[in-house]
Amino acid sequence: MDHNIQKELKVSALENGTVIDHIPSNRLFTAIHILNLDKNDNPVYFGTNMSSKKYGSKGIIKISDRFFDREEINKIALVAPTATLIEIKDYKVVSKYSVETPKEVQSFVKCFNPKCITNHQSVPTKFKVFTDDKGVIKLLCNYCEKTTTQENMRFQ
Amino acid sequence: MKNRSLISINDYSKEEYLHILDVAEDFEKNPRQKILENHVVATLFFEPSTRTRLSFESAISQLGGKIIGFTDAASSSTSKGETLMDTIKTVANYSDLIVMRHPLDGSARWASEVSSVPIINAGDGANQHPTQCLLDMYSIRKTQGTLENIHIAFVGDLKYGRTVHSLVIALSQFNATFHLVSPEELKLPSAIKKYIKEAGLKYHQYTEIEEVIDQVDILYMTRIQRERFADPIEYERVKNSYILKDHMLKNTKTNMRVLHPLPRVNEIEEAVDKNPKAYYFQQALNGVYVREAIVATILGLK
Ligand SMILES: [Zn+2]
């Protein structure tokens, strides 16, 4: 195989691994951070500001030799509820699915309330996830009972 | 309810509140029942609140219980940097029940997760103060004969007042009608109004006490604090509109009573104290019976 074609393939197709598609462009780096992809050793490719018929502008992440638990991948539903996943083995698509919003999230989101105990002592955060009348995802803190919205979500 | 912590007003069901109020009624008739003689209760006040602490300590003492604890964080190991978790785990070894007040929101819930004995939240920052809510409910039931179908007016700071929020949530289970009197910038938050709407109940909003005072069964007064206003001129403009004066009670309903979580600053004129419709000092006394009931119920003694 010609060297350039091989290189092209490497970026566009995975032999084994996961493709996360339909991530809103402005959430791509947050999604990478939530999944700790900036700290793992597997090759990771990503693209952003790509045009999408459905969403206008989207981002995509491809991770070689890495498959996710549903629970782990569903964390990104908080910032990218539209994301879809494709799992690839031997260049073939073996499964496709969409992320699902979890009912509860623990430890990786910070509470926005500066007076919350979780921001002062080493208390792991715990939230109930709910969607308001307008379909916006919100997190209810198990401790201070205040609601963290998508705009003020910060990740640990 | 035995061995269950009381952290938030949402933790207990309507039937459970009513059970506590019934037990409190029994303690009002006979407050010195020595049922706690074999028990040690810790009162941990990480921030001072003399009124609440004395009310709890009086309740525990009248039941014959022993009290250990501290009255502010400066005199405790917290000032040496001990975490809340470590303090609670240690004190849980020395006591059967912990009453705590702490300046941080959510501290009481965290304590209940790490403690081997039940926790009673006596105030966690701006979040919850469920025993205040229960004593308010007790006072309403006692003066009105029922908690159902009450017309209640809340006056003052409805935005930040946690006692108002808890009481609105609790009364939403009893078919109340809510009359909300506040300056524009201190209106009841929509997150709390949601409880009223979800219960299918009504609320009305006003800016003057006089608009509604003659229609209600309960007038619940609160403090308006200067620091809640971004604009000090706005505070000066509204502060006098939310002061209750004796002549304003003239045409109110005969069953109407004035409640206030205390301490007051100037929002109720002292002349009102002599009016038979003033109920706030009795309300504070009711707090002792209600706290006796909560302690006894959680320890499985009632
Ligand atoms: Zn919180």
Side-chain angles (χ1 to χ4, degrees):
Chain A
M1 210 185 275
D2 177 277
H3 182 74
N4 278 333
I5 295 173
Q6 215 178 357
K7 203 171 165 190
E8 173 74 29
L9 261 179
K10 206 173 169 186
V11 179
S12 58
L14 287 174
E15 183 179 347
N16 287 297
T18 308
V19 179
I20 310 171
D21 199 357
H22 303 113
I23 303 167
S25 287
N26 58 352
R27 307 285 179 146
L28 180 83
F29 292 102
T30 314
I32 288 172
H33 175 67
I34 291 173
L35 294 173
N36 276 315
L37 299 177
D38 44 353
K39 291 179 197 92
N40 80 350
D41 296 330
N42 306 56
V44 177
Y45 316 100
F46 62 84
T48 188
N49 297 324
M50 301 161 83
S51 64
S52 154
K53 278 188 200 121
K54 236 174 165 175
Y55 305 108
S57 166
K58 67 167 188 177
I60 187 165
I61 308 170
K62 300 182 183 189
I63 309 107
S64 276
D65 303 315
R66 174 83 191 269
F67 300 92
F68 295 87
D69 294 342
R70 289 290 173 105
E71 199 183 318
E72 191 181 7
I73 202 75
N74 284 343
K75 287 177 175 181
I76 67 166
L78 299 180
V79 296
T82 52
T84 56
L85 274 94
I86 299 170
E87 290 184 334
I88 293 170
K89 287 181 181 158
D90 278 335
Y91 296 109
K92 287 197 193 79
V93 174
V94 292
S95 72
K96 276 184 174 184
Y97 59 95
S98 303
V99 296
E100 278 171 39
T101 309
K103 288 195 171 61
E104 249 190 50
V105 291
Q106 295 198 6
S107 299
F108 75 100
V109 188
K110 284 179 156 177
C111 181
F112 89 106
N113 174 7
K115 283 203 65 201
C116 181
I117 183 85
T118 60
N119 289 317
H120 292 264
Q121 301 200 3
S122 61
V123 178
T125 62
K126 211 188 302 182
F127 300 92
K128 271 208 185 75
V129 183
F130 67 101
T131 326
D132 73 3
D133 319 339
K134 291 170 196 120
V136 180
I137 293 173
K138 293 183 171 176
L139 304 180
L140 179 68
C141 177
N142 175 63
Y143 296 101
C144 72
E145 307 182 23
K146 299 281 178 298
T147 300
T148 297
T149 57
Q150 212 163 38
E151 309 90 79
N152 50 35
M153 262 179 224
R154 297 282 176 276
F155 300 90
Q156 281 170 347
Chain B
M1 278 164 280
K2 190 184 173 188
N3 282 325
R4 232 169 82 203
S5 294
L6 174 59
I7 306 301
S8 159
I9 198 63
N10 304 310
D11 290 352
Y12 283 18
S13 68
K14 179 174 173 175
E15 289 67 35
E16 288 171 328
Y17 303 145
L18 292 173
H19 173 74
I20 289 173
L21 302 190
D22 290 345
V23 175
E25 219 165 74
D26 177 49
F27 281 123
E28 179 167 5
K29 289 183 201 116
N30 181 11
R32 304 209 169 169
Q33 306 179 29
K34 302 291 175 205
I35 55 175
L36 233 62
E37 275 176 333
N38 296 317
H39 290 84
V40 177
V41 179
T43 56
L44 308 185
F45 280 68
F46 296 88
E47 68 175 4
S49 172
T50 310
R51 197 174 293 271
T52 304
R53 183 173 59 81
L54 292 180
S55 174
F56 266 108
E57 294 188 352
S58 172
I60 297 158
S61 304
Q62 294 198 50
L63 298 177
K66 310 284 177 298
I67 298 163
I68 59 169
F70 48 81
T71 59
D72 67 87
S75 63
S76 77
S77 48
T78 309
S79 62
K80 300 191 189 91
E82 187 179 57
T83 64
L84 176 61
M85 178 169 79
D86 287 2
T87 307
I88 295 293
K89 282 185 165 172
T90 307
V91 175
N93 288 332
Y94 306 150
S95 59
D96 302 302
L97 173 70
I98 296 173
V99 175
M100 67 173 275
R101 185 178 184 105
H102 195 284
L104 291 173
D105 301 353
S107 52
R109 179 75 64 196
W110 172 239
S112 74
E113 290 179 355
V114 299
S115 173
S116 56
V117 301
I119 304 279
I120 296 175
N121 181 8
D124 61 322
N127 184 33
Q128 289 274 341
H129 191 9
T131 65
Q132 174 72 43
C133 184
L134 281 159
L135 81 87
D136 291 342
M137 289 166 80
Y138 185 82
S139 300
I140 294 169
R141 190 171 82 162
K142 196 176 164 202
T143 59
Q144 307 301 317
T146 174
L147 277 167
E148 303 284 345
N149 311 317
I150 298 294
H151 277 256
I152 182 166
F154 289 97
V155 179
D157 179 358
L158 310 189
K159 185 173 181 187
Y160 299 100
R162 67 179 170 190
T163 57
V164 172
H165 300 172
S166 298
L167 193 52
V168 168
I169 293 168
L171 290 177
S172 292
Q173 298 184 55
F174 295 91
N175 200 35
T177 304
F178 299 93
H179 302 274
L180 310 173
V181 187
S182 73
E184 199 57 39
E185 46 276 88
L186 296 178
K187 280 161 95 171
L188 193 73
S190 55
I192 307 297
K193 285 177 181 157
K194 207 176 85 181
Y195 286 91
I196 305 178
K197 286 186 209 153
E198 279 172 3
L201 303 177
K202 289 205 173 79
Y203 65 84
H204 309 277
Q205 303 192 95
Y206 315 83
T207 53
E208 310 287 336
I209 303 176
E210 286 88 343
E211 292 176 76
V212 71
I213 190 166
D214 295 346
Q215 304 167 39
V216 299
D217 306 308
I218 295 287
L219 185 69
Y220 196 100
M221 299 293 297
T222 66
R223 269 189 311 288
I224 291 188
Q225 290 165 288
R226 185 188 301 264
E227 57 270 27
R228 299 301 190 197
F229 289 81
D231 180 357
I233 297 166
E234 197 49 35
Y235 170 77
E236 295 302 326
R237 192 181 67 79
V238 304
K239 65 172 186 187
N240 293 325
S241 343
Y242 299 92
I243 294 176
L244 185 66
K245 301 188 173 101
D246 196 47
H247 71 85
M248 293 161 71
L249 296 173
K250 206 174 146 211
N251 296 317
T252 55
K253 290 168 76 171
T254 48
N255 63 308
M256 188 272 224
R257 292 293 178 275
V258 181
L259 302 188
H260 188 296
L262 302 179
R264 76 174 148 186
V265 183
N266 64 345
E267 58 278 4
I268 301 176
E269 271 197 348
E270 282 175 17
V272 178
D273 297 358
K274 291 191 287 290
N275 193 305
K277 289 176 179 170
Y279 194 74
Y280 29 92
F281 292 113
Q282 178 66 38
Q283 180 188 2
L285 172 61
N286 291 341
V288 175
Y289 311 133
V290 169
R291 289 175 176 121
E292 286 186 278
I294 293 168
V295 168
T297 309
I298 290 177
L299 287 173
L301 305 167
K302 283 280 173 178

